[in-house]
Amino acid sequence: MTLSIIIIGDEILLGQVSDTNSRAIARTFTALGWEVCAIRTVGDDAAAISDAVRHAVAEADLVITTGGLGPTKDDITKRVLTDIFGGGMRLDSGVTENIERIFALKGLQLNDLTRQQALVPENCRVIQNRFGTAPVMWFENAEGKVLVSMPGVPFETEGMLSLVPGGVAEAVKLRFNPDLYFRHRSLMAGGISESALAERLEEFELSLPENLHLAYLPQPGLIRLRLDGRGNDAARLDVDFDDYFVRLRDAVGEYTVYDGDASAAEILIDALRRRGLTMASAESCTGGNIAHAITSVSGCSDVFRGSVVSYANDVKTGVLGVDAITLATDGAVSEATVRQMAAGACRVCGADCAVATSGIAGPGGAVPGKPVGTVWIAVAAPDGSVTASLHRFPGDRSRVIERATTTALLSLAAALDRSDCCRK
Amino acid sequence: MTLSIIIIGDEILLGQVSDTNSRAIARTFTALGWEVCAIRTVGDDAAAISDAVRHAVAEADLVITTGGLGPTKDDITKRVLTDIFGGGMRLDSGVTENIERIFALKGLQLNDLTRQQALVPENCRVIQNRFGTAPVMWFENAEGKVLVSMPGVPFETEGMLSLVPGGVAEAVKLRFNPDLYFRHRSLMAGGISESALAERLEEFELSLPENLHLAYLPQPGLIRLRLDGRGNDAARLDVDFDDYFVRLRDAVGEYTVYDGDASAAEILIDALRRRGLTMASAESCTGGNIAHAITSVSGCSDVFRGSVVSYANDVKTGVLGVDAITLATDGAVSEATVRQMAAGACRVCGADCAVATSGIAGPGGAVPGKPVGTVWIAVAAPDGSVTASLHRFPGDRSRVIERATTTALLSLAAALDRSDCCRK
């Protein structure tokens, strides 16, 4: 089953905005067993859209287009699709109701331009857009080739792509493989490079049956492994899928940091919450990024008390209570300093545990024996013990900060797992 | 002059990685006066690449491809281009030297697979890739159509795109318009929405001659305006361009926050550095993102002392010295609290000035009168005065945090401009 994607919009050709829709569509349908044969990007131009649609319909079983459906003058996609699939236009009362509902929610006045969005080609089936006013339109020609026209707004496209009832992926599944079932589940791995993990999992990957697939989704310091499965026999798929997921977890072994899909901050928040503990941080080279990662997660306030970003040495001594003599003799980027920073963060923020960082993010600041990327990380555990570790992270300033942040978050989570300490 | 872009790589069709090259190419060449007519993405498949190249060469004056040039087995682009442009293959000694130089720099051993990257089509001119091992190849057919094959690694493509000597944009300019000159200059605007700014600048935009163009590059809370100009008479272009840039600055008026291209953090760092001042921050709803934005800028340590991320009320009182009675009566999200936070950050970090935030980033936490997006921002100026402002930012948690961060950074910079205070 082959899929061809068409992205419509002058703003993409001008380089004004990034196209994220094609990747979202490709990921969704690749996981559902489709092969994406091409992605075309064209402007808001009738001839170019028409040419791209004819090529795509000829080469693929399914064509998905995004964009060119808004109420503004440059939106000519509907006219082109009516020319290709035949018929006239009709007013769709469901779309009108949807537009009225959305405008009422926002307290906005409806104008005639927006009302025209309810005018759709006679030869299409409307899939109601629950995330915006432009309708999703489903076309099918005499040879059974399907074209789905979706809105260009990424939020709307991503929402309507999903497998949930009424979504585009569900409609495609019902049309092309009504008896196909899907399973997917993620595992987070850390403390290992992607290539080393791939080597470790080589045997497991070779053992996978044809209907199961393992995807690597790496981010700095953390690798998401997603097992995808599909099959016509739901019960059989369940048994096989669960069996191979257990084998995957065994193969990843001690590098498993979380069973599920989560960011490093979410893994730490979960580890704290399960134990009823609170945390704090003291940050030098990560410069607030640990606190930012944690506070990006909604509802973190039950476990996160605060952070002291001690960029200047005076703040390390004055606020965190780091010994001035330690700073003078060992330096800011040292085991002794980072240990005192972690203990200080715990104390001044009234937290059960803490993590601290001190290092050289670059490009300046390197000294003999301490190259750019040198980072000390200390963890103050709930039992009062403090441990520290030395790291050398590769890459530029932003990558060093990212890697140090992820490693610090996972170090504290691992320390909680190890100590198995629980206040509750 | 029309340009067609082809992105090659299975990893894009599978949705594993985002294509950022097409946007980088589109932006670069749109600014140079080219019209991008299409972007095609195809897999590592000879027939698909060949088909895309033939279409692109037929429709455009210039074709740029990226990807399919690495030393691995799926890289068949060179073979396809040799089939289309004719001739055999030859070993390029310049490419061999470049590969040896890069491997020596990294301390890596060269293998035969990598050496084969120096094998290039006879009918191409090599542009040396200064950022990696895969050569940039320039083809030209009998009708004067040009195809430039670039590597797929974004870092290499972006590096080689630039107008600097030896880059692809320079080579294209020399080939297609050797006597064309370019100018561009940016201005940062803040405190105004993109649509309100567009309305304000409508008259200016209408007054622009055909060879000058204004681009809006908005980010949350800050809009970059870039004026692009081109012309065959360098002296005349300089005069016109400078004249219209002054008019642009006048039209933006009080919403101008910086003359040049800079992030909000860079604008603030520059304002502090020019005055020899240091700053600190106290963050509740921004959760460390202000400190992260500043410390993302290399060399910020001369102006940034630190930040207290006071998520818990105890940290606001214990570390920043916020009055417990104020917190109990006015609440954490209040003018009185955020003023004391700013003053406290100044004091405990030993800084000349500070900015503080307290608000409701959502999705939870809203109370009557304080909906999600409510943010108080306080600025403690170097003269000891503290001012506060109330904001309502739209969007989800991450957008509220982003907008609050940008607004806080620009508020402190604006306060320094207003007070015109200078310690030096």
Side-chain angles (χ1 to χ4, degrees), chain A residues 13 15-16 18 23 26-27 36 38-41 55 287-289 291-292 295-296 298 305-307 309 311-312 314 363 397, chain B residues 13 15-16 18 23 26-27 36 38-41 55 287-289 291-292 295-296 298 305-307 309 311-312 314 363 397:
Chain A
L13 291 187
Q16 284 171 347
S18 282
R23 187 184 178 201
R27 277 175 85 148
V36 180
I39 303 167
R40 286 180 179 79
T41 305
H55 268 91
N289 199 40
H292 171 57
T295 59
S296 291
S298 166
R305 298 190 57 79
S307 179
V309 181
Y311 226 59
D314 287 2
R397 185 176 183 86
Chain B
L13 292 187
Q16 285 171 346
S18 283
R23 188 184 178 202
R27 277 175 85 150
V36 180
I39 303 168
R40 287 180 178 80
T41 305
H55 268 92
N289 199 40
H292 171 57
T295 58
S296 291
S298 168
R305 299 191 55 80
S307 179
V309 182
Y311 226 60
D314 286 3
R397 185 176 183 86

Side-chain angles (χ1 to χ4, degrees), chain A residues 198-267:
Chain A
E199 215 167 286
R200 195 182 169 91
L201 298 181
E202 196 179 356
E203 207 176 315
F204 168 77
E205 282 198 79
L206 289 171
S207 79
L208 281 172
E210 206 263 324
N211 67 325
L212 297 184
H213 175 75
L214 183 69
Y216 289 75
L217 303 154
Q219 44 196 281
L222 195 61
I223 300 163
R224 181 176 156 214
L225 293 164
R226 193 187 65 208
L227 189 66
D228 289 300
R230 54 176 184 271
N232 291 108
D233 181 338
R236 172 75 189 279
L237 175 62
D238 278 352
V239 171
D240 281 358
F241 188 89
D242 291 346
D243 174 30
Y244 278 94
F245 193 81
V246 169
R247 291 192 207 186
L248 170 64
R249 203 164 40 198
D250 288 347
V252 178
E254 70 268 28
Y255 298 106
T256 304
V257 293
Y258 197 73
D259 193 338
D261 179 12
S263 69
E266 287 168 335
I267 292 169

Side-chain angles (χ1 to χ4, degrees), chain B residues 188-322:
Chain B
M188 307 302 297
I192 185 169
S193 73
E194 191 187 352
S195 57
L197 185 63
E199 216 167 284
R200 195 181 169 92
L201 298 181
E202 196 179 356
E203 208 176 313
F204 167 78
E205 283 198 79
L206 288 172
S207 78
L208 280 172
E210 206 263 324
N211 67 325
L212 298 184
H213 174 75
L214 183 69
Y216 289 74
L217 302 155
Q219 45 196 281
L222 195 61
I223 300 164
R224 181 176 154 213
L225 293 164
R226 194 188 62 208
L227 189 65
D228 290 299
R230 54 176 184 273
N232 291 106
D233 181 339
R236 171 75 189 278
L237 175 64
D238 278 352
V239 171
D240 281 359
F241 188 89
D242 291 346
D243 174 32
Y244 278 95
F245 193 82
V246 168
R247 291 192 207 186
L248 169 65
R249 205 164 38 197
D250 289 347
V252 178
E254 70 269 29
Y255 298 106
T256 303
V257 293
Y258 196 74
D259 193 338
D261 180 11
S263 70
E266 288 168 335
I267 293 168
L268 174 55
I269 289 170
D270 182 63
L272 291 160
R273 198 170 279 152
R274 279 187 283 118
R275 293 169 175 87
L277 296 170
T278 63
M279 71 160 284
S281 54
E283 309 188 46
S284 191
C285 67
T286 51
N289 199 40
I290 291 175
H292 171 57
I294 293 168
T295 58
S296 291
V297 181
S298 168
C300 64
S301 58
D302 59 335
V303 298
F304 182 66
R305 299 191 55 80
S307 179
V308 176
V309 182
S310 55
Y311 226 60
N313 280 348
D314 286 3
V315 178
K316 292 185 183 77
T317 54
V319 181
L320 291 171
V322 174

